[in-house]
Amino acid sequence: MNADADARALEDEFFMREAIYQAQAAACLGEVPVGAIVVCEKAIVGRGFNSPIGDQDPSAHAEIVALRDAARRLGNYRLPGCELFVTLEPCAMCAGALLHARIARVIYGARDPKGGAHGSVLDLFAEEKLNHHTRVVGGVLADACGRLLSDFFAERRAGGEKTGDPQEDKKAGEDV
């Protein structure tokens, strides 16, 4: 790696830690711990964490909340030149919003084998027919990001609570 790549990797880890803080806030509220931030010119301009339960809004994923925050702050629904850091590989809904917002680069932590739209289930970011493309980097602090999720679901199962994920609940032997 050269010095520029090393500096970029350190910067990515720094901002991913900020997204992890957002994910921890979601967990404290009983939401699935996914956090996101939007960065423009090395400054955080948007923050968000999963809140579909509390907001009673199925679109209140961390990425969407962070995009809305950044768009309000910057006064534009398009966010060219901005980067989004998120602790979990974006789903199809969030990938679509990121592409529509013209995000320049998406950086995520853990892969999502059940719903990821950067190759885990499908790859919307690689769809050549779309009119906008963004660079995607996965695996930044993946272990820490993945641990947040696995610890959250293990704690919920141990407490007998439904996780909101039928597959996870079935693992725990609960009726769904």
Side-chain angles (χ1 to χ4, degrees):
M1 256 194 204
N2 63 32
D4 288 342
D6 288 342
R8 170 59 70 95
L10 287 173
E11 188 175 287
D12 286 354
E13 288 182 8
F14 171 81
F15 286 121
M16 186 60 72
R17 283 184 179 86
E18 294 296 320
I20 288 171
Y21 294 142
Q22 294 298 308
Q24 291 167 332
C28 287
L29 296 172
E31 301 276 1
V32 174
V34 179
I37 61 165
V38 177
V39 174
C40 191
E41 298 177 3
K42 299 186 185 209
I44 297 172
V45 296
R47 289 175 163 71
F49 55 79
N50 265 8
S51 58
I53 298 167
D55 289 347
Q56 297 179 343
D57 178 357
S59 71
H61 288 196
E63 300 96 321
I64 303 294
V65 175
L67 287 173
R68 288 174 179 158
D69 187 34
R72 274 191 297 271
R73 287 182 191 210
L74 297 176
N76 193 344
Y77 73 105
R78 295 277 165 90
L79 302 169
C82 292
E83 301 176 315
L84 181 125
F85 291 79
V86 61
T87 57
L88 183 65
E89 179 183 1
C91 70
M93 173 184 70
C94 293
L98 293 164
L99 291 166
H100 282 290
R102 306 298 196 257
I103 292 290
R105 194 166 76 109
V106 174
I107 304 90
Y108 68 87
R111 293 191 69 81
D112 183 357
K114 296 178 183 177
H118 181 242
S120 289
V121 174
L122 60 114
D123 194 350
L124 285 178
F125 296 103
E127 181 53 57
E128 293 178 14
K129 293 177 186 173
L130 295 174
N131 68 335
H132 176 73
H133 296 92
T134 188
R135 292 184 319 277
V136 182
V137 176
V140 176
L141 299 179
D143 290 341
C145 294
R147 196 167 33 258
L148 278 171
L149 290 158
S150 58
D151 289 353
F152 175 82
F153 286 115
E155 189 175 303
R156 298 283 297 262
R157 285 191 302 271
E161 296 179 50
K162 290 192 184 278
T163 64
D165 181 333
Q167 291 177 334
E168 290 291 326
D169 291 341
K170 195 174 278 184
K171 284 183 196 174
E174 298 180 90
D175 292 326
V176 184

